[in-house]
Amino acid sequence: MTAPDSTQPSGTHHIHPLPLNEKPLNREPPAADLTASLFSGDNAYDRNHGMIPTIDRDAHRVVVDGEIGKTLCLTVDELATNFAQHEVVCVLQCAGNRRHTMRTLLKEVDGIDWGDAAIMNCSWRGPKLRDILDAAGVAHNPEAHVAFSCYQSETEKDSWYGASIELERAMDENREIILALERNSKHLSPNHGAPVRVIIPGVAGARSVKWLDRITVQKMESSNFYQKRDYKVLPEEVNNAEEAEAHWDTTPALQDMPVNSVIVHPPSGSSVCRDDDGLVQVAGYAVPGGPDGPITEVGVSVDGGQTWTQADLQSVSTVLVPIRRSSVDNLSISICPYHIRG
C-alpha cells in the first residue's frame, strides 16, 4: 500500500546512513548536506527498483512510437544535436521522501523508510519532450498519455520499468519536461540514468524514467506495475494490502508533488545554544507544489505560529530566529513556505 507523504513540517530529522539498501541501490545523504550547496552533488539520493545497467552511449537508441505521424529511432548524439538543448534547474524528489515522518506522526505505510533527504536540486540539460513529439507528428488528443519505458533490467515487481503522464502535460510549454543528457553540466552517471532519462519538474520522481528506451503515445496510461499498483494516494481508510486491492484501479496515479518544507538544522532532539543576542540559526529547504513556484518566502516560528521570522532565500535557506526563553528545552520550531502559482 502506498499513502501520501506528509506535507507538514515534522520537526523530526531521521538521518539514515548511506546506503539504506544496496540491492537495488536505494540511499539518501544526511539531511544537513542538502543545505550545504544549492546544487546536489555526487552524494544525491538514489532510488531504484532494479539493478543499475551500464549502457553503451553510442549504441543506445530511443524509439518514439504509438499514435504519432511517424516512428522515430534516435541516437543519443541525435538527441544532443538535432534538437534545441534546454536547461532546467529543478528538484527531483522521491514520492516517498519523508516517509519516516509519516510513519511516526500519522500512520504506518509501506515502502522504504526514507528520511528527509530523498530529494535533489540539479541543473538538467537536454531536448524538450515537446520538441521530440512534434518531430514525430503527434496530434492533439486531450485523452492520450505519453508512456516512458526502460527494458534494461528486471524490477522487483515487473519485468521492466515504466511510467506515463498525460499528453497535455507533456506538450505544455510551461512544464519544461526534457530528456536529460546531462546533470550539473556533466553527462549523466549510470546511477542517475545514463545515457538519457526523463525529467518532469514538480512531478514524483517515479515518473522521470531512467535509462529511457521508448516513448509511446497511447490511449491508456502505462501498464507497468509502478504506474498501476504503486505510487498512488489511496483512501485514508485503507490500512493494509488486502484493503488496497479494491482501490488500485480507481485511484489516479500520483503526479504532482505537494508543497513541502523541512528543517535540517538544528536536528530534532539536539541541544541548541543561543548567541549573545538570543538567536539560534535554523536551516532547511522548501519546495513548491507541482507546477507552482518558485518559493518566494519561508517563515520560521518558535512560538506555535504566533510570530514568524523570514528566511534568507538568496542561496541556502537559513534564518536566525530569536529565542526569548531562559530555557530551550522541548523547543518546537515550525516552518511554512509560500509560493507563486504557475
Side-chain angles (χ1 to χ4, degrees):
M1 180 183 67
T2 301
D5 296 320
S6 170
T7 61
Q8 299 298 319
S10 66
T12 61
H13 305 286
H14 191 73
I15 297 177
H16 293 279
L18 289 175
L20 284 172
N21 181 2
E22 287 191 333
K23 295 182 179 180
L25 178 62
N26 292 297
R27 61 181 181 179
E28 64 181 313
D33 287 6
L34 298 177
T35 59
S37 172
L38 181 61
F39 293 103
S40 303
D42 293 339
N43 70 334
Y45 86 96
D46 286 286
R47 177 66 174 116
N48 296 283
H49 293 281
M51 304 308 291
I52 296 172
T54 299
I55 300 173
D56 185 335
R57 179 183 176 90
D58 294 331
H60 190 67
R61 302 290 186 272
V62 176
V63 174
V64 185
D65 63 4
E67 298 188 4
I68 55 177
K70 61 179 179 179
T71 297
L72 303 179
C73 184
L74 301 169
T75 67
V76 177
D77 282 344
E78 287 172 334
L79 289 170
T81 60
N82 292 5
F83 300 90
Q85 301 298 289
H86 182 71
E87 183 174 357
V88 57
V89 175
C90 72
V91 162
L92 186 65
Q93 181 177 189
C94 178
N97 189 35
R98 305 189 67 198
R99 185 174 284 125
H100 181 80
T101 298
M102 167 165 273
R103 282 194 168 118
T104 53
L105 297 185
L106 296 177
K107 63 181 294 186
E108 179 60 35
V109 291
D110 284 347
I112 292 175
D113 194 38
W114 292 110
D116 297 332
I119 185 171
M120 68 175 84
N121 187 61
C122 301
S123 170
W124 307 92
R125 181 177 173 83
K128 288 185 177 181
L129 174 62
R130 174 190 172 94
D131 291 347
I132 293 167
L133 293 176
D134 276 340
V138 69
H140 174 72
N141 181 351
E143 297 182 356
H145 299 259
V146 181
F148 311 108
S149 303
C150 167
Y151 305 109
Q152 297 294 326
S153 61
E154 291 189 3
T155 67
E156 297 158 304
K157 300 292 187 179
D158 212 323
S159 61
W160 56 290
Y161 187 85
S164 61
I165 60 175
E166 308 91 333
L167 176 61
E168 285 193 323
R169 186 190 299 262
M171 299 302 290
D172 185 345
E173 289 189 66
N174 296 321
R175 295 306 295 248
E176 296 187 298
I177 301 170
I178 67 171
L179 301 190
L181 308 176
E182 298 179 4
R183 184 178 80 97
N184 295 340
S185 301
K186 297 180 181 179
H187 285 164
L188 295 176
S189 58
N191 60 312
H192 289 301
V196 54
R197 70 171 301 165
V198 184
I199 290 293
I200 311 174
V203 168
R207 313 306 174 207
S208 290
V209 174
K210 294 182 283 189
W211 315 297
L212 182 66
D213 287 312
R214 186 179 297 268
I215 301 170
T216 305
V217 179
Q218 55 193 45
K219 292 184 174 67
M220 306 296 290
E221 66 178 2
S222 172
S223 61
N224 188 263
F225 177 91
Y226 298 99
Q227 181 83 18
K228 301 291 288 184
R229 297 180 62 83
D230 203 348
Y231 297 113
K232 293 188 175 186
V233 181
L234 300 181
E236 291 186 11
E237 63 268 20
V238 174
N239 293 304
N240 53 56
E242 290 73 22
E243 293 175 358
E245 284 299 323
H247 298 279
W248 288 122
D249 291 338
T250 57
T251 302
L254 176 64
Q255 297 285 2
D256 290 334
M257 292 294 285
V259 64
N260 210 337
S261 56
V262 173
I263 296 170
V264 302
H265 177 80
S268 179
S270 63
S271 298
V272 296
C273 295
R274 294 174 293 173
D275 63 17
D276 293 340
D277 296 320
L279 302 176
V280 171
Q281 187 178 57
V282 175
Y285 69 80
V287 292
D292 297 337
I295 294 290
T296 57
E297 294 183 14
V298 173
V300 180
S301 176
V302 295
D303 55 15
Q306 296 182 45
T307 60
W308 295 88
T309 301
Q310 296 303 308
D312 174 15
L313 301 183
Q314 297 304 309
S315 53
V316 177
S317 296
T318 60
V319 62
L320 292 171
V321 294
I323 309 297
R324 301 304 183 193
R325 312 180 201 176
S326 58
S327 170
V328 291
D329 291 344
N330 300 317
L331 174 66
S332 177
I333 304 176
S334 303
I335 183 170
C336 182
Y338 302 86
H339 58 82
I340 298 174
R341 292 193 175 274

